[in-house]
């Protein structure tokens, strides 16, 4: 059963001009990601993995080419259209968690809900559910500095999915964690795909982490080399 | 959590920095409140003075007396409708710190020329009939609990009476109010004749004259006619409008307005730098967090607003309590200086002005960092890898 294409890159190029020299990150890149896929992007440092996630998440723009999301061109969106679109469709997860240090776990998770029309009590309900999915109910009132890396990353995941986006974009989400903790995080991401119908794209250097994905992409010299999971 | 909570959390990240910034804003608005009140009080007399009244003083100096004969001569000058005169008594009650604005006046003409001095009819009659009578302002009555019928001993810092003492006895015959807040009710006045006959020296001199002309258009011509009349005499005069007189009186203290404006201005400029710098730093430290908020879908407009509101909150936290404290300080000053100064009050006008400045300060110190925040490039900021 193949699902609908959700994200499509068609002839996407990205160049930087630095000291009058043009650096090509990608040239004429094509890619289709379907709904509910779990994609791992691997590749050497500097190959453009982060740039790819940024393009898909609408925080960077291609030099040329088209990026569509659910049939809609997002590369031509204005800044404010992108903000709205991101709030509804994209959740980001970063290597270093990037939680707000002055907010508790629960408040961090609640943050994206400030953009919705949900009432205060509804928001609290959602936060509770999200924290229970990442098994952190008992840390609701903890500040980031009072939590381990793995716990912080779980809070970050809860923050990323609380507003129910279609896609989670994770840039080396386990890069800073030990093997066991990394597996816990990857299992939660798997759960997101399997039970919540999310589409997840992770960038990783770790082949073990990539095994959790259903599809692996190798990015090198501006091209994809693909291998499906067994 | 709410947006307000988010603002508060952002603001209170660094407690010491927050405290110091609030404290400097507080200080600036405290200075503003107190000095503005002062300035306002000093200028109130000038602004409110009846435009159509003229004041004649000695050309030499405000405090140089004029001969009584000037009164009769000016009365006969063409265009003059009404004249009265007053002399400075320089009195205090019990101790020098209870200094009072006290005048010896030609009662009937004085009350005619100053219709804003309001006294109940019966008290007016009693006062005019009693040569030792004194008319005291409402504010003084409140301060010293005087009553009608009281014998009121006042000590003059200038005038000795015929038995060689400086204590003069009066009887409180009336209490005057000021319905239009144009006349200082921290003052008192009594009969010139009693004063003139009682004093040991300088008989038949008066302090200054107040003139009402037939019509304000005549003011200039009448002023000139009066001054010309006494030109080249031993007692030359200087005639001006009441407003100009008030100003000249104030200029004895130096240009207070200018001093106040420069002090307030300097304080403000410093605060602007301090608060602005704090906000710029506070926002720069959060570059990474702001980038994350943008990935969450917070729009540039929303981020801009949040930062400006944060700056406004900061300024109000320092500024509003400062206005409260200014109010207390002004009240305390009021009772400390007593009748030495015109009435002081933290007027609604000053309050509104202060609040307008707070809003301005908030927008300026919030606007710049907010603008910087909007320009943060998310991809670049996140590339910087936090921690
Ligand atoms: N603002 C920029 N200006 C110029 N070059 C840039 C800029 N941002 C990224 N690059 C270049 O783009 C290339 C791809 O960067 P990117 O961060 O996407 O790599 P990556 O695959 O995520 O690497 P890593 O595995 O180390 O995170 C790099 O060579 C980098 O130097
Ligand atoms: Mg990267």
């Amino acid at each position: 059963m193949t699902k609908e294409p959700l994200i499509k890159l068609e002839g996407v190029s990205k160049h930087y001009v630095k000291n009058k020299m043009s650096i090509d990150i990608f040239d004429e890149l094509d890619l289709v990601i379907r709904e509910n896929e779990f994609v791992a992007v691997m590749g050497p440092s500097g190959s453009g993995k982060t740039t790819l996630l940024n393009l898909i998440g609408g925080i960077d723009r291609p030099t040329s080419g088209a990026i569509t999301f659910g049939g809609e061109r997002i590369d031509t969106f204005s800044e404010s259209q992108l903000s709205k679109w991101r709030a509804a469709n994209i959740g980001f997860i970063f290597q270093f968690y990037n939680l707000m240090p002055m907010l508790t776990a629960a408040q961090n998770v609640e943050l994206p809900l400030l953009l919705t029309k949900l009432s205060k009590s509804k928001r609290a309900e959602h936060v509770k559910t999200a924290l229970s999915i990442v098994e952190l109910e008992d840390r609701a009132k903890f500040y980031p500095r009072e939590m381990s890396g793995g716990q912080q990353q779980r809070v970050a995941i809860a923050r990323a999915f609380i507003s129910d986006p279609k896609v989670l974009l994770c840039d080396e989400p386990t890069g800073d964690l030990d093997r066991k903790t990394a597996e816990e995080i990857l299992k939660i991401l798997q759960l997101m795909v399997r039970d919540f119908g999310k589409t997840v794209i992770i960038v990783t250097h770790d082949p073990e982490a990539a095994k959790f994905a259903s599809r692996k992409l190798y990015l090198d010299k501006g091209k994809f080399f693909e291998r499906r999971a067994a | 959590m709410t947006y307000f909570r988010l603002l508060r959390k952002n603001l209170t990240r660094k407690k010491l920095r927050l405290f110091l910034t609030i404290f400097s804003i507080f200080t600036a608005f405290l200075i503003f409140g107190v000095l503005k009140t002062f300035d306002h009080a000093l200028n109130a007399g000038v602004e409110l003075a009846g435009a159509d009244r003229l004041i004649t003083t000695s050309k030499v100096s405000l405090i140089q007396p004029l001969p009584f004969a000037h009164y009769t001569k000016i009365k006969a000058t063409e265009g003059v409708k009404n004249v009265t005169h007053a002399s400075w008594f320089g009195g205090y009650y019990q101790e020098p710190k209870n200094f009072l604005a006290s005048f010896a006046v030609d009662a009937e003409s004085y009350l005619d020329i100053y219709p804003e001095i309001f006294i109940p009819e019966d008290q007016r009659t009693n006062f005019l009939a009693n040569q030792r009578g004194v008319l005291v302002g409402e504010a003084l009555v409140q301060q010293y609990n005087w009553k009608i019928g009281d014998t009121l001993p006042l000590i003059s810092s200038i005038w000795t009476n015929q038995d060689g003492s400086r204590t003069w006895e009066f009887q409180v015959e009336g209490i005057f109010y000021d319905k239009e807040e144009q006349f200082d009710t921290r003052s008192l006045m009594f009969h010139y004749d009693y004063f003139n006959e009682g004093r040991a020296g300088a008989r038949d001199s008066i302090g200054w004259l107040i003139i009402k002309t037939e019509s304000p258009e005549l003011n200039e011509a009448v002023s000139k006619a009066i001054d010309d009349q006494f030109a080249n005499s031993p007692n030359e005069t200087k005639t001006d409008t009441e407003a100009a007189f008030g100003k000249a009186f104030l200029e004895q203290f130096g240009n207070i307005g200018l001093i106040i404006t420069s002090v307030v201005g300097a304080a403000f400029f410093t605060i602007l730098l301090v608060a602005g710098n704090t906000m710029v730093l506070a926002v720069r430290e959060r570059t990474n967090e702001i980038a994350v908020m943008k990935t969450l879908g917070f729009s540039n407009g929303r981020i801009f607003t949040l930062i400006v509101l944060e700056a406004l909150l900061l300024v109000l936290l320092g500024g509003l309590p400062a206005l409260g404290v200014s109010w207390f300080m002004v009240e305390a000053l009021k009772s400390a200086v007593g009748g030495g100064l015109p009435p002081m009050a933290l007027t609604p006008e000053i309050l509104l002005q202060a609040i307008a400045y707070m809003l301005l300060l908030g927008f300026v110190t919030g606007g710049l960092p907010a603008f910087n925040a909007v320009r943060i490039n998310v991809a670049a900021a996140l590339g910087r890898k936090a921690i």
Side-chain angles (χ1 to χ4, degrees):
Chain A
M1 150 190 104
T2 48
K3 299 225 170 154
E4 289 294 302
L6 180 65
I7 302 161
K8 251 201 226 167
L9 278 71
E10 291 166 292
V12 168
S13 302
K14 179 75 185 171
H15 315 293
Y16 286 106
V17 179
K18 189 111 195 186
N19 304 329
K20 290 184 188 148
M21 281 216 333
S22 174
I23 310 167
D24 294 351
I25 316 293
F26 322 117
D27 203 27
E28 298 281 320
L29 197 67
D30 294 315
L31 174 68
V32 173
I33 290 171
R34 292 175 189 283
E35 232 169 272
N36 204 213
E37 275 192 303
F38 189 165
V39 181
V41 179
M42 303 185 70
S45 187
S47 57
K49 303 181 296 295
T50 297
T51 308
L52 177 72
L53 284 194
N54 288 347
L55 287 172
I56 293 174
I59 56 177
D60 202 353
R61 290 176 194 271
T63 314
S64 63
I67 301 175
T68 50
F69 183 92
E72 208 175 3
R73 284 280 293 263
I74 61 155
D75 56 301
T76 55
F77 274 3
S78 70
E79 281 298 317
S80 64
Q81 280 175 311
L82 277 173
S83 289
K84 252 200 201 121
W85 170 80
R86 263 201 305 274
N89 295 295
I90 304 289
F92 276 96
I93 293 157
F94 310 94
Q95 179 176 0
F96 296 108
Y97 333 122
N98 280 331
L99 298 176
M100 305 287 153
M102 75 295 182
L103 300 182
T104 63
Q107 288 165 342
N108 264 289
V109 174
E110 192 182 350
L111 198 56
L113 295 185
L114 288 183
L115 297 169
T116 66
K117 291 201 170 71
L118 292 176
S119 70
K120 212 173 156 179
S121 59
K122 274 269 177 264
R123 293 203 300 264
E125 238 171 73
H126 285 232
V127 170
K128 208 164 172 235
T129 312
L131 283 175
S132 75
I133 291 170
V134 296
E135 294 176 10
L136 274 181
E137 282 161 297
D138 55 337
R139 295 289 190 274
K141 294 226 158 74
F142 281 51
Y143 285 91
R145 60 173 181 277
E146 298 164 339
M147 288 184 284
S148 71
Q151 287 167 340
Q152 288 187 58
Q153 194 61 300
R154 283 191 276 158
V155 174
I157 294 175
R159 178 178 70 183
F161 75 72
I162 190 151
S163 44
D164 202 22
K166 286 209 167 69
V167 180
L168 297 181
L169 300 174
C170 322
D171 197 350
E172 303 186 36
T174 59
D176 200 40
L177 303 172
D178 62 41
R179 166 81 44 220
K180 190 172 153 289
T181 317
E183 283 190 4
E184 284 168 21
I185 296 297
L186 289 159
K187 277 188 184 139
I188 294 173
L189 292 176
Q190 251 180 354
L191 178 86
M192 288 291 129
V193 176
R194 204 185 56 222
D195 294 355
F196 293 89
K198 305 283 171 226
T199 304
V200 173
I201 306 175
I202 67 166
V203 164
T204 182
H205 282 289
D206 177 9
E208 290 301 315
K211 281 183 186 160
F212 283 78
S214 55
R215 180 181 169 196
K216 289 180 210 168
L217 294 173
Y218 291 89
L219 187 61
D220 198 6
K221 302 194 177 69
K223 294 235 170 329
F224 283 123
F225 301 87
E226 186 157 352
R227 206 182 77 205
R228 293 252 163 208
Chain B
M1 202 177 50
T2 57
Y3 274 110
F4 183 68
R5 185 82 170 266
L6 184 63
L7 279 182
R8 237 185 47 202
K9 288 270 192 175
N10 269 329
L11 203 55
T12 53
R13 283 165 192 252
K14 301 220 163 146
K15 303 274 184 333
L16 180 64
R17 181 168 71 189
L18 175 70
F19 172 77
L20 291 174
T21 315
I22 287 184
F23 186 72
S24 48
I25 295 171
F26 173 86
T27 312
F29 280 97
L30 189 64
I31 293 173
F32 180 88
V34 174
L35 287 190
K36 270 288 177 185
T37 305
F38 228 69
D39 188 42
H40 183 83
L42 291 174
N43 280 313
V46 177
E47 281 160 16
L48 296 169
D52 56 344
R53 282 191 292 247
L54 296 174
I55 295 203
T56 301
T57 59
S58 160
K59 195 177 176 183
V60 182
S61 127
L62 271 174
I63 52 167
Q64 179 77 21
L66 292 168
F68 183 82
H70 274 41
Y71 174 59
T72 352
K73 285 181 188 156
I74 288 175
K75 213 172 185 172
T77 308
E78 205 179 317
V80 171
K81 189 174 156 204
N82 229 330
V83 195
T84 189
H85 62 84
S87 304
W88 185 246
F89 179 67
Y92 58 86
Y93 179 59
Q94 291 171 341
E95 330 170 48
K97 88 171 182 33
N98 299 330
F99 181 78
L100 305 162
S102 40
F103 314 99
V105 302
D106 180 62
E108 205 150 359
S109 58
Y110 196 82
L111 294 176
D112 277 352
I113 268 188
Y114 287 103
E116 57 265 45
I117 301 176
F118 174 81
I119 333 152
E121 205 44 53
D122 54 330
Q123 292 181 19
R124 183 192 177 102
T125 318
N126 292 345
F127 168 65
L128 290 177
N130 181 353
Q131 275 308 291
R132 286 176 163 236
V134 62
L135 211 49
V136 294
E138 176 198 9
L140 289 180
V141 172
Q142 278 173 11
Q143 187 173 351
Y144 296 110
N145 283 319
W146 294 332
K147 294 183 302 293
I148 292 191
D150 279 0
T151 297
L152 181 61
L154 294 179
I155 304 155
S156 170
S157 48
I158 311 169
W159 305 105
T160 330
N161 57 30
Q162 277 162 357
D163 25 309
S165 132
R166 291 195 166 183
T167 306
W168 297 66
E169 281 200 352
F170 302 95
Q171 273 148 18
V172 179
E173 285 291 5
I175 296 167
F176 70 86
Y177 300 85
D178 167 26
K179 284 189 172 160
E180 290 151 45
E181 287 186 28
Q182 297 201 356
F183 200 91
D184 188 2
T185 63
R186 304 188 149 265
S187 58
L188 58 84
M189 58 211 70
F190 47 83
H191 295 284
Y192 173 79
D193 288 345
Y194 171 59
F195 165 71
N196 193 41
E197 281 153 26
R199 63 182 159 178
R203 281 272 177 85
D204 296 331
S205 69
I206 54 178
W208 61 92
L209 299 113
I210 304 104
I211 298 143
K212 197 156 169 132
T213 55
E214 301 284 355
S215 109
E217 290 104 74
L218 293 175
N219 280 2
E220 214 164 309
V222 171
S223 301
K224 195 168 174 323
I226 292 172
D227 292 346
D228 285 353
Q229 203 177 143
F230 302 109
N232 302 318
S233 82
N235 290 292
E236 290 190 282
T237 59
K238 185 169 174 296
T239 305
D240 244 325
T241 60
E242 198 170 297
F245 172 78
K247 240 199 173 100
F249 180 73
L250 283 182
E251 272 159 14
Q252 294 185 115
F253 305 111
N255 196 336
I256 290 170
L258 183 69
I259 295 170
I260 289 176
T261 312
S262 9
V263 171
V264 171
F268 251 81
F269 190 68
T270 316
I271 294 316
L272 184 73
L273 289 181
V274 170
N277 190 47
T278 308
M279 280 305 292
V280 168
L281 282 180
V283 172
R284 184 171 305 158
E285 285 166 8
R286 305 210 291 254
T287 298
N288 186 270
E289 290 170 35
I290 290 166
V292 171
M293 287 180 73
K294 290 191 187 187
T295 68
L296 294 176
F298 282 81
S299 68
N300 280 337
R302 211 175 279 259
I303 285 170
F304 189 94
T305 311
L306 276 170
I307 292 172
V308 169
L309 286 178
E310 187 179 329
L312 275 174
L313 188 62
L314 178 72
V315 172
L316 292 178
L317 279 175
L320 291 180
L323 290 186
V325 174
S326 314
W327 187 82
F328 278 109
M329 283 181 70
V330 166
E331 291 300 306
L333 266 174
K334 236 192 227 172
S335 39
V337 277
L341 273 176
M344 284 194 287
L346 201 56
T347 62
E349 206 177 291
I350 297 174
L351 287 178
L352 283 180
Q353 204 182 356
I355 289 169
Y357 274 126
M358 286 178 209
L359 297 183
L360 184 74
L361 193 65
F363 280 114
V364 172
T365 56
L368 179 67
F371 181 68
N372 286 341
V374 163
R375 287 191 316 172
I376 289 173
N377 178 319
V378 181
L382 290 173
R384 257 187 242 167
K385 298 263 152 102
I387 285 183

